[in-house]
Amino acid sequence: MPVSNAELGADPFSPWRKAVSILPPELEERLHRLHPDALAALEEIRLRVGQPLELCGQTGSSFLHCETGTTSVASEGLVVTSGHIKHVVAQVTQFSMYAVEEDLRRGFMTIPGGHRVGVAGHVVTDGQGQVKSIRSISSLNIRVAHAIPGVANRLRHHLYRKHDGHPYNVLVISPPQCGKTTLVRDIARQWSENLLVRRKVPAKVAIVDERSEIAGCIEGVPQFSVGPRTDVLDGCPKAQGMLMAIRSLSPDIVVTDEIGRSEDALAILEATHAGVAVITTAHALRMEDWRLRPNMDSLFQSKAFDRYILLSRRNGPGTVEAVLDQAGRPIRTGGEG
């Protein structure tokens, strides 16, 4: 099912307050005049110079109308200016591009509340072809982070061994914007709060948050609730971070996001062989597609993961299409929201 207002909080504007506050006042006011249900369902605000302001959500996309409300007709939309872009960039950077130089190398900036601002424009590279920064910014994608406490409840019995409560190694697979990060964030929180299964010794959790999306840290401080027994390595490359966490933070569980490189696969095997559970995600439409990606079939063949959770947007973000066992056999199917 699509996310309801109740799941997003009593105030349907609450996930949006920080995200909307970085917009120019006239745009912020226009958004606040939209229907609360429309705001609660919004996932992205996209600003492109010379194009209408686009609003993307669970039911599709529309444009902010040049006068009132929204429209599906681009020519009727409110056109974004370079001044709008400059205002948002100034708010996010606090008028110091140097302060966010490292974030810009990765193509985004994070603001309080865990919201992410994706950036497009002229990419500046060094002599080795590595990205140094992005200048002449012409497009912004404000991705609103919706933490949904309890979203992992429906899957709790697929997350641990029944006889001793030991955490399973779990891989969540889906295309983009299907709720992978939201799910693993809540799984991490619930393990940290000793909620998934009552353990005499609660699990210690380490989040390796290379893209600052799981915990949404600002200056090292998580903007999302990730639990009282959770340590976060923010902005740290996944493979390095997993090994750092194992060596120095003594976690029972390591949580990370969007694996795909050979070094990620090696670090996951290192962690699981050390007795540390791994919970992570990958971009793919189906299990077969994920296995075709370089270095990923080796993880499947080595039985690194005990459970695979497949998500889609068929009935809204977070629709559970299937839960598979270590060998890829279905345990649960159905497309439940």
Side-chain angles (χ1 to χ4, degrees):
M1 295 175 61
V3 178
S4 68
N5 287 354
E7 289 176 302
L8 293 174
D11 176 5
F13 290 102
S14 57
W16 281 91
R17 290 195 182 279
K18 267 296 176 188
V20 171
S21 70
I22 64 175
L23 292 171
E26 66 272 19
L27 299 184
E28 180 181 359
E29 181 187 358
R30 286 290 308 279
L31 280 176
H32 275 292
R33 280 195 258 152
L34 296 179
H35 193 280
D37 286 342
L39 281 174
L42 274 170
E43 297 169 346
E44 296 178 340
I45 307 172
R46 307 193 71 120
L47 297 91
R48 305 174 178 98
V49 173
Q51 300 297 328
L53 187 151
E54 185 183 17
L55 305 171
C56 302
Q58 294 178 15
T59 57
S61 74
S62 61
F63 302 107
L64 193 66
H65 195 278
C66 61
E67 294 181 359
T68 184
T70 61
T71 178
S72 60
V73 181
S75 60
E76 298 176 353
L78 185 150
V79 175
V80 174
T81 67
S82 59
H84 292 145
I85 297 286
K86 289 176 182 176
H87 178 96
V88 174
V89 171
Q91 293 298 306
V92 174
T93 64
Q94 295 296 293
F95 301 93
S96 173
M97 293 295 287
Y98 177 78
V100 296
E101 197 76 27
E102 185 61 37
D103 285 343
L104 284 174
R105 289 194 188 100
R106 298 185 289 172
F108 66 88
M109 300 170 284
T110 304
I111 62 174
H115 310 295
R116 170 180 288 192
V117 182
V119 177
H122 177 69
V123 177
V124 180
T125 59
D126 60 21
Q128 285 72 48
Q130 299 298 309
V131 175
K132 289 179 61 180
S133 187
I134 299 178
R135 306 294 188 203
S136 302
I137 294 171
S138 58
S139 298
L140 297 172
N141 177 20
I142 304 172
R143 292 185 62 180
V144 177
H146 290 294
I148 309 176
V151 74
N153 289 351
R154 58 196 164 153
L155 292 163
R156 66 168 65 234
H157 297 301
H158 299 294
L159 301 175
Y160 59 86
R161 292 194 307 228
K162 301 301 180 289
H163 66 280
D164 63 0
H166 186 80
Y168 276 147
N169 300 311
V170 176
L171 177 65
V172 182
I173 299 173
S174 85
Q177 291 192 289
C178 290
K180 293 187 298 296
T181 304
T182 301
L183 177 59
V184 297
R185 180 189 302 123
D186 195 53
I187 293 173
R189 179 190 65 83
Q190 293 210 37
W191 274 121
S192 181
E193 294 182 355
N194 205 25
L195 295 176
L196 282 175
V197 58
R198 289 291 178 182
R199 293 161 51 106
K200 289 183 180 178
V201 180
K204 293 173 289 183
V205 178
I207 295 176
V208 182
D209 205 359
E210 183 170 3
R211 299 174 305 120
S212 304
E213 274 201 316
I214 303 174
C217 288
I218 297 292
E219 296 184 354
V221 179
Q223 302 297 296
F224 292 114
S225 174
V226 291
R229 302 176 182 89
T230 300
D231 302 297
V232 181
L233 289 170
D234 180 55
C236 183
K238 287 182 282 289
Q240 291 176 245
M242 283 188 269
L243 299 180
M244 287 170 59
I246 292 167
R247 293 168 185 154
S248 62
L249 298 173
S250 65
D252 299 295
I253 302 166
V254 170
V255 178
T256 189
D257 212 2
E258 294 188 11
I259 61 167
R261 295 170 295 192
S262 58
E263 53 266 39
D264 298 339
L266 291 172
I268 288 167
L269 291 174
E270 180 85 15
T272 57
H273 292 160
V276 177
V278 175
I279 299 167
T280 187
T281 72
H283 281 318
L285 181 61
R286 302 169 301 170
M287 162 75 83
E288 294 81 0
D289 301 319
W290 170 71
R291 291 182 61 184
L292 288 172
R293 294 179 62 184
N295 312 303
M296 293 297 100
D297 192 52
S298 62
L299 286 175
F300 179 79
Q301 296 295 342
S302 65
K303 295 182 167 55
F305 294 106
D306 303 298
R307 294 291 182 267
Y308 298 91
I309 299 172
L310 277 61
L311 303 181
S312 77
R313 292 177 63 93
R314 184 156 60 92
N315 296 320
T319 299
V320 179
E321 293 292 345
V323 178
L324 311 179
D325 68 9
Q326 197 175 55
R329 295 175 299 232
I331 298 172
R332 164 181 164 174
T333 60
E336 298 178 30

